[in-house]
Amino acid sequence: GLLDLASQCVREAESLADALSELRGVKAPVHDRHHFREFLVRTDQPAPAIARDLETGGFAVHVVDDHLLQVCVTDVNAGQTDALVEAFEEAL
């Protein structure tokens, strides 16, 4: 079970990063390597403002610096990734 869960976490992170990277002004993941659950997202817009907008929509992301956010996807929130991408696009 743990191997399946770990594989799912890697796949979900890759899928979410790909979807976010499709948005204009977003690069995800920032570092070109395998990610287990979490990764960095670079935005052209100020990261703190995006994080506030996402929090209003019920999503939690971590502000790393002025244009970097840390995003995490797990088995608990994997079903909400489409909604996160939509909220991210609105926040941009």
Side-chain angles (χ1 to χ4, degrees):
L2 286 177
L3 183 57
D4 290 337
L5 179 60
S7 295
Q8 177 186 350
C9 287
V10 170
R11 283 191 310 273
E12 292 291 341
E14 287 175 354
S15 177
L16 179 56
D18 288 346
L20 289 173
S21 198
E22 296 279 327
L23 302 176
R24 184 177 174 168
V26 175
K27 180 182 184 321
V30 171
H31 303 289
D32 185 26
R33 58 182 89 145
H34 292 287
H35 300 278
F36 183 78
R37 298 187 324 172
E38 54 196 39
F39 54 90
L40 294 177
V41 176
R42 180 171 307 283
T43 68
D44 290 346
Q45 302 296 318
I50 293 172
R52 280 191 303 273
D53 287 349
L54 292 174
E55 185 178 341
T56 300
F59 297 101
V61 296
H62 177 74
V63 176
V64 177
D65 73 14
D66 291 342
H67 294 278
L68 280 179
L69 295 164
Q70 182 181 33
V71 176
C72 181
V73 61
T74 68
D75 57 317
V76 175
N77 65 358
Q80 298 298 316
T81 56
D82 289 342
L84 173 61
V85 172
E86 290 176 19
F88 212 104
E89 187 171 27
E90 289 177 20
L92 293 171

